[in-house]
Amino acid sequence: MDTRRRVPRTDAVLADSRLVEAAGRLGRGIVKAAVNRAQERARAGEIPAEDVADAAVAALPATAASLRPVINATGVLLHTNLGRAPLSEAARVALAEAAGCTDVEFDLETGGRGRRGRGTLAALAAACPAAEAVHAVNNNAAALVLVATALAQGREIVISRGEMVEIGDGFRLPELLASTGARLREVGTTNRTTAADYAEAVGPDTGFVLKVHPSNFRIEGFTAEAPVRSLTGLGVPVVADIGSGLLAPEPLLPAEPDAATALTDGADLVTASGDKLLGGPQAGLLLGRSALVERLRRHPLARALRVDKLTLAALEASLRGPEPPAVQALHADPVTVRERAALLAKELSGHDARVVDSVARVGGGGAPGVELPSAAVSLPGDCAVPLRRAGIVGRVEDGRVLLDLRAVPAELDPADLAARVRDVLGER
Ligand SMILES: *Cc1c(COP(=O)(O)O)cnc(C)c1O
C-alpha cells in the first residue's frame, strides 16, 4: 500500500490554526521544519497520516532559539557546560525588561548621553567597598586580556610557575596573556614560589605581578606560595585573578579567595567572573585602584570587551536582589536537600528509585576539592540518556543515574520533577 499519497501536503498542514499561531510566534521556518519531520514520520508509518498536524504541534520548540532549558541534577553547582550560574528570578525579570529599548546610555532628565552601566557599577562598588573603582567586561578572560594589554603589552608579567593554569576546554591562561603581546616572566617552581622569587624578577620591564587562583586543582605536600600581601612593596601593580567572583569571604569555602580580602591585602586590581560564585550572568569584574581602573576603562580595547545591556541588567539585579540560586545551592541545608530527595523518590516508587547520600561540588572553577554533603535519587543506569533527552541531566555513578538535588532549584516542586521523570521512565 502506498501511504505516501495519503500524507497531507505541507501547505495544507500549515493552515492548521495552531500552526498559524506558532508561525507568528516562532517564525515560519521552524514550524515548517516541524511539519516536514512529522510528514516523514507519517511516510515511515510511525504515525497515522491524519496525525501529522498534531505531531508537528507536539514537536514545536518552546522558543525560536535552539538552546534548551535543562535541570542541573549533576551535583555540580556551577556546571560550565550547563551555563554556569542560573540567574535569579530578579535577574531574569531585569534582563527581559532591558531587552527592549532602555536608557542604558541615555539620561532621561537632560536628554543627553548617560554613562553606560552606571547603576550596575554602583551596585558592584557598593557590594565591595574595599574597591576604589570598578568596571565590568565580557568575562574574566576579557578582564585579563584588558589588564595585560593596557599594563604590560611589550613588557613583562611576573607570574609563578605554580599558577600557569588551564581552566577548561583547552583555555590556558598563559597563552591568553601571551596573545596580548605581553611576555611572561615565570618565577619559582610548580610547587614552591616565594616572595623573594617575585622580587628578584621585578625590574624596569615589569608591567605587573599577577597572582592566579588555581581554581580547579590543588597542589599538596611540599608547597609554598607567596600571598598577595607579601608582594605589595615591589613598586609595580599587583593583580589578583581570584576566578570565582566571591566579593567577601565565604565561611563555607575558607580556602577560596575573595575580592575584599585581596584588596585589603594590597592587591591593586582584582579580576573575577560574574557567573561563578557571584551567581550572576557571564561577566568579567575588575575592582581596584581608581587610576588603574580608569586606565582600563579608557583603553581602546575596552570597547571591544564591553558588556551589553542584558548583562548589565542581570548583573545589577544579581548584586542588589535576593540571593541568587547558585549561592542558595551552596548554602542549602543538607537535611533539607535529603528531605527533597526523599519526596522525589517517594513520587517515583515503582521505578526502582532510592535515596542515596551524595557529594556535590562547586565546580566551574571554584573551590577545588571541597565536598558539599548532598542527597540524590538513584535510578537505573539506562535512564541516563532518555532523561538527558528530556532535559534532566544527572550524574552516572557505578552504573546508576543519580539525580542530585542540591543544585536543583528549591522552588521546583518534587511532584512536578517526578512527573517529568515519570514521563520519561513510563516510555521505557
Ligand atoms: C574561571 C576562571 C577564569 C576564566 O573566567 P571566564 O569568566 O570564564 O572567562 C580565569 N581565571 C580563573 C582563576 C578562573 O577560575
Side-chain angles (χ1 to χ4, degrees):
M1 183 178 66
D2 186 8
T3 54
R4 207 165 285 240
R5 220 179 264 162
R6 292 192 287 128
V7 172
R9 291 179 29 179
T10 308
D11 286 351
V13 184
L14 282 171
D16 183 290
S17 63
R18 296 166 300 173
L19 294 172
V20 171
E21 179 275 326
R25 195 163 38 86
L26 300 170
R28 196 175 147 85
I30 288 174
V31 175
K32 202 169 159 212
V35 169
N36 292 344
R37 271 196 308 277
Q39 288 169 317
E40 278 162 29
R41 291 182 64 196
R43 278 187 208 110
E46 289 171 27
I47 54 170
E50 58 272 24
D51 287 358
V52 166
D54 288 351
V57 169
L60 286 172
T63 72
S66 60
L67 285 175
R68 286 182 52 196
V70 301
I71 292 174
N72 174 10
T74 60
V76 179
L77 308 196
L78 301 166
H79 200 301
T80 296
N81 302 147
L82 301 181
R84 287 204 188 142
L87 294 181
S88 66
E89 192 52 36
R92 291 170 197 232
V93 172
L95 184 150
E97 284 284 308
C101 288
T102 74
D103 60 347
V104 64
E105 247 175 79
F106 187 74
D107 186 327
L108 291 168
E109 281 304 316
T110 65
R113 197 158 198 281
R115 184 167 167 193
R116 190 181 174 85
R118 55 204 178 277
T120 309
L121 296 179
L124 180 57
C128 189
E132 284 175 17
V134 299
H135 185 56
V137 289
N138 246 323
N139 55 17
N140 193 9
L144 288 164
V145 163
L146 185 56
V147 175
T149 308
L151 307 185
Q153 196 165 54
R155 305 177 69 206
E156 288 181 353
I157 300 172
V158 178
I159 180 171
S160 162
R161 291 197 169 90
E163 298 177 6
M164 314 264 291
V165 304
E166 175 172 320
I167 305 294
D169 195 26
F171 166 43
R172 294 181 166 171
L173 213 115
E175 291 173 1
L176 177 85
L177 295 169
S179 77
T180 67
R183 291 189 304 278
L184 295 187
R185 176 75 183 266
E186 301 173 26
V187 298
T189 60
T190 319
N191 54 326
R192 291 178 65 85
T193 302
T194 63
D197 293 325
Y198 289 92
E200 267 168 42
V202 167
D205 244 11
T206 306
F208 60 93
V209 166
L210 179 63
K211 285 284 297 170
V212 178
H213 176 48
S215 48
N216 50 9
F217 70 100
R218 272 190 315 187
I219 299 187
E220 283 172 46
F222 187 52
T223 62
E225 182 194 344
V228 166
R229 61 181 172 280
S230 69
L231 304 175
T232 53
L234 301 175
V236 294
V238 177
V239 180
D241 171 13
I242 61 165
S244 68
L246 280 183
L247 296 179
E250 166 56 63
L252 277 178
L253 308 173
E256 196 63 15
D258 68 276
T261 305
L263 291 167
T264 10
D265 280 355
D268 299 286
L269 268 180
V270 166
T271 77
S273 297
D275 55 355
K276 293 182 179 173
L277 287 168
L278 191 81
Q282 178 185 305
L285 313 179
L286 285 151
L287 308 99
R289 298 216 184 280
S290 310
L292 287 176
V293 173
E294 197 54 22
R295 224 169 120 186
L296 302 177
R297 216 173 61 77
R298 295 192 174 282
H299 193 279
L301 188 59
R303 179 64 164 77
L305 307 175
R306 79 174 190 183
V307 285
D308 77 337
K309 59 185 180 177
L310 304 180
T311 303
L312 288 170
L315 181 57
E316 181 169 357
S318 302
L319 287 161
R320 293 194 198 273
E323 199 171 65
V327 185
Q328 284 179 14
L330 176 68
H331 292 162
D333 178 359
V335 176
T336 314
V337 177
R338 187 155 186 114
E339 283 165 6
R340 289 167 56 212
L343 276 174
L344 179 61
K346 197 167 149 227
E347 294 274 348
L348 294 173
S349 61
H351 291 279
D352 188 15
R354 310 170 208 153
V355 181
V356 294
D357 286 334
S358 172
V359 174
R361 296 188 184 273
V362 172
V370 172
E371 303 192 335
L372 303 165
S374 187
V377 171
S378 159
L379 291 164
D382 57 350
C383 304
V385 176
L387 281 171
R388 276 206 304 274
R389 285 199 186 117
I392 302 169
V393 187
R395 182 169 87 234
V396 177
E397 223 172 80
D398 298 329
R400 303 273 298 176
V401 191
L402 302 190
L403 300 183
D404 188 308
L405 279 258
R406 195 183 253 269
V408 173
E411 310 79 68
L412 186 64
D413 188 344
D416 290 344
L417 178 55
R420 284 185 59 174
V421 175
R422 266 198 312 268
D423 272 351
V424 176
L425 301 185
E427 283 171 13
R428 292 191 317 139

